[in-house]
Amino acid sequence: MLNSIRVLVQNDDFDLGSEYQKLLANDTENGAVVTFTGLVRDYNQGHQVLGLTLEHYPGMTEKALETIALEAKQKWPLGRITIIHRVGSLGLSEQIVFVGVTSKHREAAFSASQFIMDYLKNDAPFWKKEQTTEGERWVEFNDKDKDALSRW
């Protein structure tokens, strides 16, 4: 499938409906679409969160996300994959990440989507700094996310 992987790292927000339509466009062979959208929440790891800043290394980050998408395509029979990750300063309830996966069957689409998100939470080259009521703090990885990644 031509252009089956789209990876974007951007400051700007994204439109869920538009991204969903791009996954479906001219695709008659896949019957499953799974999407996930992550948002900035107001509480994390015992801290009241006021906002979030995400940093990355341009070029390296996109390559790492393309690599994980290719790995997902090797593990499951997938059609298209879209990964959009925002960087910069984000407020509460703003969209951070979008993962969209198509496949002929739902099992592969669900599994691949979880696999990609587990990778993003643990190994993707992003650094998160939360603005909290106690000041700024870098977000550390947690055991729950590491355990989720270990199943793959």
Side-chain angles (χ1 to χ4, degrees):
M1 184 175 265
L2 202 59
N3 298 323
S4 64
I5 295 175
R6 276 182 67 233
V7 169
L8 300 168
V9 177
Q10 61 191 41
N11 289 89
D12 295 334
D13 200 4
F14 49 85
D15 180 80
L16 290 174
S18 174
E19 293 306 325
Y20 180 81
Q21 290 303 318
K22 287 175 188 173
L23 283 167
L24 299 177
N26 302 313
D27 182 357
T28 58
E29 66 184 77
N30 291 297
V33 179
V34 170
T35 65
F36 172 83
T37 306
L39 309 174
V40 179
R41 62 178 180 262
D42 67 357
Y43 196 80
N44 187 40
Q45 299 177 356
H47 297 274
Q48 186 71 37
V49 176
L50 305 172
L52 177 68
T53 302
L54 290 114
E55 298 179 5
H56 77 114
Y57 287 119
M60 183 178 102
T61 304
E62 291 85 350
K63 181 67 175 161
L65 301 184
E66 288 169 6
T67 298
I68 198 61
L70 287 169
E71 190 173 333
K73 285 183 83 69
Q74 290 173 351
K75 289 179 176 285
W76 295 279
L78 304 177
R80 294 181 177 147
I81 299 173
T82 298
I83 303 171
I84 302 172
H85 207 297
R86 294 183 64 200
V87 293
S89 296
L90 303 173
L92 295 178
S93 299
E94 285 194 62
Q95 299 177 133
I96 303 170
V97 62
F98 173 87
V99 172
V101 177
T102 68
S103 182
K104 288 180 176 30
H105 304 286
R106 71 180 181 277
E107 294 88 356
F110 275 114
S111 293
S113 179
Q114 285 187 302
F115 171 77
I116 292 168
M117 278 309 305
D118 287 343
Y119 170 81
L120 289 173
K121 289 292 283 185
N122 284 281
D123 293 334
F126 291 101
W127 295 269
K128 297 177 184 177
K129 186 190 304 179
E130 291 176 336
Q131 290 76 48
T132 74
T133 54
E134 298 141 13
E136 292 186 335
R137 71 178 200 96
W138 291 102
V139 177
E140 297 178 18
F141 296 108
N142 64 52
D143 291 334
K144 184 183 83 138
D145 290 334
K146 289 178 189 171
D147 291 343
L149 185 61
S150 70
R151 68 183 153 168
W152 309 111

